[in-house]
Amino acid sequence: MTGYRINHLSELENESIYVMREVAAQFENPALLFSGGKDSIVMVHLARKAFWPQKIPFTLAHIDTGHNFEETLEYRDQLVEKLGARLVVGSVQTSIDQGRATEESGFNASRNVLQTITLLDTLEKYKFDVAIGGGRRDEEKARAKERFFSHRDEFGQWDPRNQRPELWNIFNGKKHLGEHFRVFPLSNWTEMDVWQYIYQENIEMPSLYFTHRRKAFYRDGVWLAWAPFMKLKPNETVVEDDFRCRTIGDITCTGLSLSKADSLIDIIREIAATRVTERGGRFDDRRSEAAMEDRKREGYF
């Protein structure tokens, strides 16, 4: 890795740590949204650096769809135990059971969109006044519009046309009762930055990110992991091959990549050569051109 790259990663690290320290200074009850994906793992690593040798001052909040990869949940629990951190879990299944959310039906049914209701209920239940997320501007056009400090109204909604200016490193966390903020310390990072930082810092990652044997089926240009609760169309067949995840979410919408990358160096090389965007395999983004922005307006991550 070149000296330029290390300096670049150091600048990104310093920026993210500064943002996290601003959160700790400006808010009373912060939560760090933890999905078990690479971005949230990097955020936890940065938080440890920002406040070492003290414990991280953020509660880890996981929105569990009930259709998560088992590897993700195992990694989450091991990390929480290692850190001695506080974890709260919002359950989409509980939201369904309580009539707060309605389970989708059909071949493309997913619980991903239902996370919004569970997230907002979890923020309200625990009175979190800020939620730190791993969104990056390079991921998707709606996320490119986000500020570091993203204001949400009393209904948890985001208005992209009414965002506060952020001049230099001055962040405004003032809010009215009932409102909250989402904060994105990794805003200026790219997928390549994240993986090079993981390599530089030797951060342990879930096995899902490395090539492994998995049953999957092909639908509308995307390989999807097969699970017993997923409905197959008549022309779809489950096969077993070498896959890995580039991005991790609900099983029903997480696209898989045919890959031989079984090390961090292999992943970095693969990303450098690919012409498919990171979220190109996310099935939920294909519901409409503005799928992500619509969900964010309603209170999504």
Side-chain angles (χ1 to χ4, degrees):
M1 190 176 295
T2 66
Y4 164 77
R5 201 68 209 168
I6 293 175
N7 289 337
H8 173 63
L9 294 177
S10 296
E11 290 176 1
L12 290 173
E13 178 189 71
N14 290 337
E15 179 181 65
S16 298
I17 285 176
Y18 178 85
V19 171
M20 287 188 169
R21 288 172 175 167
E22 280 293 301
V23 170
Q26 294 194 40
F27 297 94
E28 296 180 0
N29 189 19
L32 190 154
L33 300 177
F34 187 80
S35 67
K38 65 183 183 306
D39 299 313
S40 59
I41 292 171
V42 166
M43 285 200 304
V44 170
H45 183 83
L46 290 165
R48 291 184 70 190
K49 278 196 164 188
F51 301 100
W52 181 265
Q54 302 297 319
K55 290 184 179 180
I56 62 174
F58 311 132
T59 298
L60 302 188
H62 180 216
I63 305 304
D64 183 0
T65 66
H67 291 166
N68 294 98
F69 290 97
E70 283 299 321
E71 296 93 327
T72 302
L73 300 180
E74 291 172 5
Y75 183 96
R76 178 200 70 186
D77 293 341
Q78 291 171 4
L79 182 63
V80 168
E81 183 177 359
K82 178 181 177 181
L83 295 177
R86 179 190 182 213
L87 171 71
V88 299
V89 178
S91 168
V92 171
Q93 183 61 57
T94 299
S95 297
I96 294 170
D97 294 342
Q98 293 176 346
R100 294 279 296 149
T102 302
E103 183 90 80
E104 293 183 353
S105 59
F107 292 112
N108 295 320
S110 173
R111 289 185 172 182
N112 196 54
V113 70
L114 305 185
Q115 292 182 85
T116 299
I117 295 170
T118 308
L119 171 62
L120 293 176
D121 286 349
T122 301
L123 296 177
E124 174 61 27
K125 177 180 178 180
Y126 294 98
K127 304 302 179 185
F128 294 125
D129 54 356
V130 60
I132 306 170
R136 307 188 323 268
R137 291 175 180 142
D138 76 315
E139 287 183 273
E140 203 272 342
K141 57 188 178 183
R143 287 185 169 168
K145 299 177 182 179
E146 288 274 19
R147 302 286 196 266
F148 277 100
F149 276 40
S150 184
H151 176 262
R152 296 299 198 271
D153 65 20
E154 63 270 28
F155 302 105
Q157 296 178 329
W158 171 63
D159 183 358
R161 296 170 297 182
N162 187 30
Q163 298 188 85
R164 296 174 181 178
E166 291 183 344
L167 307 175
W168 301 285
N169 59 354
I170 300 174
F171 303 116
N172 182 356
K174 293 183 178 179
K175 59 182 179 56
H176 296 294
L177 183 66
E179 299 175 343
H180 72 276
F181 273 79
R182 309 286 172 84
V183 173
F184 302 100
L186 304 183
S187 289
N188 288 334
W189 295 54
T190 66
E191 182 187 14
M192 180 63 84
D193 294 329
V194 169
W195 280 111
Q196 290 186 326
Y197 185 75
I198 290 169
Y199 175 78
Q200 174 183 293
E201 299 290 300
N202 194 27
I203 302 173
E204 183 179 354
M205 300 300 291
S207 59
L208 287 168
Y209 281 114
F210 304 97
T211 187
H212 58 284
R213 301 293 290 183
R214 182 172 291 276
K215 292 181 179 179
F217 62 95
Y218 197 66
R219 174 177 293 173
D220 298 335
V222 177
W223 282 104
L224 293 171
W226 178 81
F229 53 80
M230 298 183 72
K231 295 182 180 179
L232 296 177
K233 297 179 180 179
N235 63 333
E236 293 173 340
T237 304
V238 175
V239 300
E240 187 171 327
D241 210 330
D242 291 330
F243 295 98
R244 80 172 191 89
C245 297
R246 280 181 72 183
T247 176
I248 296 176
D250 186 88
I251 290 178
T252 58
C253 64
T254 299
L256 304 178
S257 299
L258 286 164
S259 174
K260 298 296 183 182
D262 59 3
S263 69
L264 292 175
I265 284 293
D266 288 339
I267 290 173
I268 290 170
R269 289 171 177 162
E270 186 177 89
I271 294 170
T274 189
R275 294 296 177 264
V276 178
T277 63
E278 179 182 3
R279 294 189 67 92
R282 285 298 293 260
F283 207 75
D284 52 329
D285 287 350
R286 301 185 174 209
R287 295 194 172 198
S288 75
E289 281 292 318
M292 174 62 78
E293 182 156 336
D294 291 342
R295 294 200 301 275
K296 288 179 70 64
R297 287 176 183 269
E298 294 169 1
Y300 188 72
F301 303 116

